[in-house]
Amino acid sequence: QVPLKPGRSLMDWIRLSKSGKDLTGLKGRLIEVTEDELAKHNTKEDCWICIRGFVYNVTPYMEYHPGGEDELMKAAGTDGTDLFDQVHRWVNYESMLKECLVGRMAVKPIAAPKEISSTLSEDKKQLNGMLPEKKLPGASAKDLTPSYNWFQTDSLITIVIYTKQKGMNAELVIVDCQDKRLRGEIIVDDHSYVVEVDLDHAVQDNVAVTFAEKVGKVEIILKKKDNIHWKMLGQPLESHNTFIKRMDRGLFYRKCKLVSKMEVTHDTKLFCLMLPKSTHLHVPTGQHVYLKQIIAGTEVVKPYTPVLPYLPLDFKQPSPSDGAHIYLMIKIYSCGLFTQALDHLQIGDCISVSNPEGNFKKSQVQTSEDLFLLAAGTGFTPMVKLLNFALTEVSCLRTVKLIFFNKTEDDILWRNQLEQLALKDERFEVQFILSQPTKDWVGKEGKISSSFLSEFVKRSRKDSKVLICICGPTLFTEQGVQYLKDLGYSQEEIYAFTA
């Protein structure tokens, strides 16, 4: 993200787009755009971009784009779909840019230059949370495609999905049943299989999901509202019985109810959202969800990483995440359009929450001996579940160290809990570093630097396996990754979460 000029906020853009001003330069006409015509509009003063076959004049949006003008210019006069999908496919561009729509492409547009559409470099791919494409293992895609069947009793409907994968668990299955619409999604590496039907008859709210891990069988069990015989499961919907890349699937949302809101610091709150009874969803460690709100008639979406309700100190107990709630630790910005709207939600209000996304794998922690977590501000959020998982379930870890950067003491999230955890578990150490401390502060001060990292990030033995996770503002993360590489850590030893 880049600092925007005053008067160039999201709200300012929404106002401009609703002002009636001609933002396309075509006086309301829609045209068919040829490849040659698109290619002519490739300057900051005259910039057209194609996304999914539709062409937008983004010239007026230049100064409002949170990623800066240079990011938009990478796709000027070309098809920016790949670039858009790699950086922020969750943004509802149709809603944001509807007043900038020039028209539809006449034929397939020219792709953006190769070095751009492959997202700069491998390093940048990792930083954007994008990993190089992984082929499905072994057999042909058809052999690996899951399948389903269904059967019924007087009171139950059971949908059986044969995933053809061992090790199926609760995190790999997402089920929603709303108003007779059933959607079940099975995650298989970077692909997903969906069963989606408009059910033949009504069912009760509660949905049960069971797993046979060894054979990879998943059962979705629904209770009939009326004990009648169903002639069919229902009408298939568009994505029914499809097995495609997760990146190619649109985000699916369900309405969640706000059940509590607690202060964590002077400007950060812990929101507790309750999933519908008819939803089965467990957000995996290191993954995020998107929240969607309609603000001034425009759909606005932001990513957040779920946390736990607190840091458990007794590692014999199961995780306090119960599968019925999602906890989000969110910093409320005084001039932040989205977080202000969030903060104004009342208990009982609803907000749309997406399926989880992200490519972090727990196996990266399970094979490590030393785990280092570098966090700045609310970049702490991915570290919460990670910390709990590492200390509870990974026996090979020798050291787990959190280096937590903040401006002031008042900004430190869950300081007491972290200090208690360090006393409780000898493997865990926390180091607080402040950039704007008061004169009473006796700890470390400064910003992320090579010297700080060389002091705090050290292997427990010469050739120990290390994983370093980093999350914070973009500049913090980019600098941190570079400093770590300068200190000799490899790309495989570094995982950057995007803030």
Side-chain angles (χ1 to χ4, degrees):
Q1 292 203 339
V2 298
L4 297 172
K5 294 177 188 171
R8 296 294 183 271
S9 70
L10 175 59
M11 194 68 228
D12 293 313
W13 171 252
I14 290 171
R15 281 196 203 100
L16 175 62
S17 64
K18 294 190 185 314
S19 66
K21 190 174 176 187
D22 177 17
L23 300 182
T24 62
L26 297 173
K27 299 187 173 127
R29 285 184 302 123
L30 288 178
I31 62 170
E32 202 170 57
V33 183
T34 62
E35 289 183 15
D36 291 344
E37 184 61 32
L38 177 62
K40 290 176 192 169
H41 302 269
N42 63 355
T43 65
K44 280 186 184 176
E45 295 71 36
D46 179 17
C47 181
W48 289 10
I49 292 175
C50 173
I51 305 177
R52 299 198 215 295
F54 289 93
V55 178
Y56 298 89
N57 179 357
V58 297
T59 318
Y61 184 58
M62 282 281 176
E63 293 187 345
Y64 297 84
H65 184 235
E69 296 178 357
D70 292 344
E71 282 299 307
L72 281 178
M73 286 305 297
K74 285 175 185 168
T78 65
D79 184 351
T81 307
D82 279 355
L83 198 57
F84 176 84
D85 282 348
Q86 285 161 354
V87 181
H88 38 31
R89 78 182 190 95
W90 43 272
V91 171
N92 187 338
Y93 65 91
E94 296 106 319
S95 178
M96 296 281 288
L97 298 176
K98 62 186 174 191
E99 299 304 325
C100 300
L101 180 64
V102 168
R104 191 189 281 269
M105 281 303 296
V107 287
K108 193 176 183 300
I110 342 155
K114 204 69 191 155
E115 68 270 19
I116 289 167
S117 59
S118 65
T119 314
L120 315 172
S121 64
E122 281 308 302
D123 297 359
K124 188 74 176 172
K125 270 188 185 176
Q126 294 272 6
L127 196 59
N128 282 333
M130 295 292 301
L131 289 165
E133 182 182 328
K134 198 170 87 180
K135 296 280 185 286
L136 281 166
S140 73
K142 193 172 181 186
D143 296 337
L144 287 164
T145 302
S147 60
Y148 82 100
N149 207 338
W150 72 283
F151 59 88
Q152 62 183 310
T153 63
D154 286 347
S155 59
L156 299 176
I157 295 286
T158 302
I159 296 107
V160 185
I161 299 172
Y162 305 96
T163 70
K164 305 178 185 176
Q165 297 285 320
K166 287 182 181 174
M168 268 290 125
N169 62 57
E171 292 184 347
L172 300 174
V173 180
I174 304 161
V175 179
D176 288 273
C177 194
Q178 305 164 354
D179 304 324
K180 286 178 61 184
R181 178 187 180 186
L182 172 75
R183 184 184 191 276
E185 182 170 1
I186 310 290
I187 309 300
V188 181
D189 292 328
D190 58 354
H191 284 60
S192 85
Y193 175 73
V194 164
V195 168
E196 190 169 25
V197 291
D198 193 356
L199 295 169
D200 211 29
H201 297 280
V203 293
Q204 294 179 32
D205 275 351
N206 42 344
V207 172
V209 180
T210 64
F211 313 91
E213 285 191 37
K214 288 184 179 170
V215 293
K217 186 170 77 172
V218 175
E219 290 186 345
I220 301 168
I221 303 155
L222 310 171
K223 286 185 181 172
K224 294 177 177 178
K225 264 203 173 149
D226 302 302
N227 292 359
I228 54 175
H229 184 78
W230 290 25
K231 292 198 173 91
M232 58 191 288
L233 181 61
Q235 293 294 332
L237 296 167
E238 191 181 352
S239 64
H240 179 61
N241 203 21
T242 56
F243 186 50
I244 62 173
K245 278 191 169 181
R246 290 174 73 187
M247 275 296 291
D248 295 336
R249 244 187 233 297
L251 287 170
F252 183 83
Y253 289 86
R254 77 277 303 145
K255 293 266 188 205
C256 293
K257 194 177 285 184
L258 178 65
V259 292
S260 71
K261 190 165 41 170
M262 288 169 50
E263 283 199 4
V264 179
T265 66
H266 62 102
D267 62 0
T268 302
K269 294 183 179 176
L270 184 68
F271 292 78
C272 175
L273 303 173
M274 185 165 69
L275 290 161
K277 271 187 186 173
S278 53
T279 291
H280 168 96
L281 168 65
H282 293 260
V283 181
T285 297
Q287 295 198 13
H288 54 271
V289 295
Y290 298 102
L291 299 187
K292 179 168 73 176
Q293 298 189 91
I294 306 291
I295 300 174
T298 297
E299 215 172 74
V300 185
V301 179
K302 295 280 180 192
Y304 293 100
T305 305
V307 298
L308 299 173
Y310 54 87
L311 273 178
L313 299 176
D314 183 353
F315 299 113
K316 294 177 186 67
Q317 294 294 320
S319 161
S321 177
D322 57 9
H325 298 90
I326 290 178
Y327 293 87
L328 300 167
M329 198 183 282
I330 297 174
K331 183 173 178 177
I332 310 297
Y333 292 91
S334 57
C335 53
L337 185 66
F338 196 88
T339 59
Q340 282 294 323
L342 264 184
D343 197 30
H344 284 106
L345 288 177
Q346 302 297 306
I347 303 302
D349 286 351
C350 287
I351 186 162
S352 296
V353 179
S354 80
N355 281 0
E357 288 223 327
N359 54 33
F360 183 81
K361 300 278 190 294
K362 282 180 177 177
S363 56
Q364 294 166 266
V365 183
Q366 288 163 324
T367 54
S368 300
E369 294 166 82
D370 302 325
L371 175 64
F372 295 95
L373 309 175
L374 310 180
T378 48
F380 170 62
T381 56
M383 310 308 178
V384 175
K385 282 188 173 183
L386 195 46
L387 199 49
N388 183 58
F389 170 70
L391 295 175
T392 309
E393 297 183 47
V394 187
S395 53
C396 59
L397 279 167
R398 295 160 180 264
T399 56
V400 180
K401 188 183 278 192
L402 170 66
I403 300 123
F404 197 180
F405 294 82
N406 284 282
K407 286 182 181 174
T408 70
E409 269 186 275
D410 291 342
D411 295 323
I412 302 173
L413 301 165
W414 281 1
R415 180 180 180 178
N416 289 343
Q417 293 191 48
L418 289 165
E419 288 174 339
Q420 282 179 41
L421 189 57
L423 292 171
K424 191 91 176 173
D425 193 311
E426 59 186 17
R427 293 171 299 166
F428 177 59
E429 183 187 335
V430 61
Q431 182 74 52
F432 301 114
I433 299 172
L434 302 183
S435 60
Q436 296 173 15
T438 61
K439 58 180 185 298
D440 304 328
W441 176 248
V442 291
K444 296 279 182 184
E445 58 179 276
K447 294 188 174 182
I448 193 166
S449 66
S450 192
S451 60
F452 268 138
L453 297 186
S454 62
E455 183 181 348
F456 296 122
V457 180
K458 289 177 181 168
R459 297 178 196 271
S460 58
R461 54 186 180 80
K462 193 178 176 187
D463 57 349
S464 66
K465 288 186 177 176
V466 170
L467 177 64
I468 307 164
C469 296
I470 182 166
C471 188
T474 306
L475 185 60
F476 168 89
T477 304
E478 287 179 347
Q479 286 178 336
V481 169
Q482 192 54 56
Y483 293 142
L484 289 166
K485 286 184 175 175
D486 293 344
L487 290 169
Y489 294 98
S490 68
Q491 182 67 58
E492 289 67 43
E493 294 174 317
I494 303 166
Y495 187 89
F497 292 98
T498 47

